[in-house]
Amino acid sequence: MAPRKNFRNQAKKEVKPAAVVNKNGVKVEASVAASGGGFSGTKIFTWFMVLALLGVWSSVAVVWFDLVDYDNVIERAKEFRFNFSEVLQGKLSAYDADGDGDFDVEDAKVLLGLKERPVSVLLREAKEDYAVKEPDAAPTPDDDVDGSQNTDVESEIQAAVPLPPISDDFIPDDSRDEATHPYEDENNAIDTKGELVEKAQPQQTVEESKQYNNQPGSYNNQPGSPETKETEAESVPEPEADVEPEVESVPEPEADVEPEVESVPELEAEFVPELKAKKKKPKLLNKFEKTIKTEIDAAEKLRKKGKVEEAVRAFETLVLQYPQSPRCRYGKALAEDGLAEKMLSNDMLQKAIGTYKEASELPNATPDLIKATLKKRAERQQFLGRMRGALATLEKLVQIFPEDMALKNDLGVAHLLIGDNNSAKRVYEEVLATAPSDGFAKVHYGFILKSENKIAESIPFLRDGLESGDPGTDDGRFYFHLGDALQRMGDDSAYKWYERGHQRGHFASVWQRSLYNVDGLKAQPWWTPKDTGYMDLVKTLERNWRIIRDEAQSVMDKTTGLFVPEEENLREKGEWGQFTLWQQGKKAGESCRSVPKTCGLLERYPEATGCKRGQIKFSVMQPGTHVWPHTGPTNCRLRMHLGLVIPKTGCKIRCTNDTRAWEEGKVLIFDDSFEHEVWQDADSYRLIFIVDVWHPELTQYQRQTLSPI
């Protein structure tokens, strides 16, 4: 406050100039008189700026409050512009929202959100934002659009399964001539991590695949098979540009100093992936499109910034201007894809899938753009569950690019996703005939052999594929099936592979090898009724075990056809039949009509009947049966066994390293995501009632949103 007071006092002490009389006889200040009787230049500018700013906010105010006639105000304002229009233009250009060169009613409407900005203005601003700050310095091939070094390498899409998101930094198309930027075939497969840790999220509008095959040996819903993480809508990597990573230069040691070399422990061969050759960016622009690259990049910049609605409009404008441009149409498809993700709209995603097809079929599309577009289309078709459509798209890709083994690998996966193991097998045999060291083809071929119960033959393919370290091989299901095959062959090295799978993050532990998991749930092999919190359900089962037993025995006759053989290929030998009442939280057909009392007892226990990741069923096992060591698919459930008919000796179950026996009328509870094994060496059948329940630590929200298994 002191300085202001001092300035004010100083002003009071200034001597006022003598007044003079102008030609009209009016007294004016001497300074005014000296200037010819008007304002000084400085004061004119100051007052005019005040008027200009008042004009801006007045325009905003009248639009907002709808107080006056806009056009009349504008016309009146124009009358007072005199010869200062250029000054006003310079000061108000920042508010010129519609690009017409002045500030008017339309600009005020845009500023207040009452009207959208024209696409032409958006494109112009995007171009200005896109421009390099130092135009005299041309960017290097590895520079990003802003002149900075681009170190974010964009991964290729593997069409096998919906993939987790990667960073989506903007990478412009390369407009250089082919002679200076030759294309090198790209490795299309990426390393799909097999860890399937699920965090329950709201169910999305965009549907996941619904054509999963539950049969043994199918690629889906097998222990260790891939499942998309249950997260909010995420961006999908685009095969738009494969950029060389920035490599930091290492200073050479001085001549008289010998560099110190640290000794490195010898690494196991299976964990040392081969170094891949650097890849060039795909060429997505044809000769004509290089002349409109700035316009394409400006629209693309909007999409990369997440302004997908504006990007769609911008690309639609470009498609209207250049209808034969494959790159413009591909950009439109990418923008529609992003908008579908934002809106969680199947319809919009289907529109994008159609636009991808249009882009790939236009004349003069570059081979790289055709490949990127069709791969993207196949991946999005799989995401929507259009497995056969994706298969047709991949078959077309393989026809166009028959030498691309990665595309053939993806085609094999597409066959597996629809349960056509025989066709997938033929594809991988073709790949291995041409590229015998292809690790991706090996693990998938080994997987197919194991599904055919060719246990010994599957082992070398699974093992060699994992040891290759090739992209797409570091997957929990392959560790799972290799270890399982070794166990069945009596080879203790199975646990070495389980341990490696655990170290790679695919298994919670060597014992707990489920792959459809929710983090943080209590993990222990055996549980007491009190541990579970389901005491009422346990008491109901144990009090009514004879009723349950009698109903089960009444339908055990083979002529009823209700008990069917176990179909999961878990038996080494013997007979094992099951009669299912609930599956994935729903009644199994009309099964409850045969055992109405049993079903009636369970109706009031949603922790069991609503368990979408479990079953409720009778299980009868004949003498001489052995069930291989195995694990269930998820840690989200616990399994109750109610003893109904139990021979006095010879029947036992092992979970981890703890072996127990059933008792008639008593419930055993264990977590079947841990390894367990069963023996039936009695002289009569064993009958139990299996009831799966939600893991007690799952919230109600998680129980509602987790996908069924």
Side-chain angles (χ1 to χ4, degrees), residues 411-522:
L411 177 60
V413 170
H415 282 296
L416 288 171
L417 287 171
I418 64 172
D420 188 357
N421 287 15
N422 290 332
S423 295
K425 186 177 182 181
R426 286 194 295 270
V427 170
Y428 290 122
E429 286 173 345
E430 292 175 7
V431 173
L432 292 173
T434 304
S437 62
D438 190 307
F440 187 91
K442 282 187 172 183
V443 289
H444 285 81
Y445 190 65
F447 172 86
I448 295 169
L449 290 175
K450 184 170 180 293
S451 72
E452 295 174 345
N453 212 30
K454 297 177 180 178
I455 306 301
E457 294 94 325
S458 71
I459 290 173
F461 287 98
L462 288 166
R463 181 173 54 214
D464 293 349
L466 283 172
E467 288 176 345
S468 73
D470 285 351
T473 61
D474 184 25
D475 192 307
R477 35 178 193 173
F478 301 130
Y479 288 95
F480 184 100
H481 286 293
L482 175 56
D484 185 64
L486 290 168
Q487 276 185 301
R488 297 188 184 198
M489 295 302 296
D491 189 335
D492 289 339
S493 67
Y495 289 96
K496 177 187 76 172
W497 287 100
Y498 289 146
E499 175 62 29
R500 290 179 181 177
H502 167 57
Q503 293 298 327
R504 303 292 289 181
H506 303 309
F507 306 139
S509 70
V510 173
W511 290 117
Q512 191 178 24
R513 301 191 295 271
S514 55
L515 294 175
Y516 300 101
N517 299 324
V518 168
D519 277 340
L521 299 182
K522 182 178 181 179

Side-chain angles (χ1 to χ4, degrees), residues 171-192:
I171 302 175
D173 298 318
D174 196 338
S175 60
R176 293 174 290 171
D177 294 335
E178 291 190 17
T180 60
H181 190 62
Y183 168 71
E184 296 180 13
D185 284 338
E186 54 196 347
N187 185 356
N188 299 306
I190 71 167
D191 189 352
T192 53

Side-chain angles (χ1 to χ4, degrees), residues 79 133 189 199 225 241 255 332 390 401 410 571 599 610 612 694:
E79 295 176 4
K133 294 180 181 179
K199 302 181 186 298
S225 63
K332 178 173 177 280
F401 305 99
D410 290 346
R571 284 170 292 160
C599 290
K612 294 185 293 184
W694 284 117

Side-chain angles (χ1 to χ4, degrees), residues 93-99 107 110-111 117-131 294 297-299 301-302 305 307 310:
S93 61
Y95 303 95
D96 181 18
D98 58 6
D107 297 311
V110 172
L111 289 173
R117 308 185 73 187
V119 172
S120 59
V121 175
L122 294 172
L123 284 172
R124 173 173 56 78
E125 292 185 353
K127 290 178 185 177
E128 294 171 356
D129 189 32
Y130 175 78
T294 302
D297 287 344
K301 189 77 172 181
L302 293 172
K305 284 186 171 182
K307 301 177 180 179
E310 297 173 9

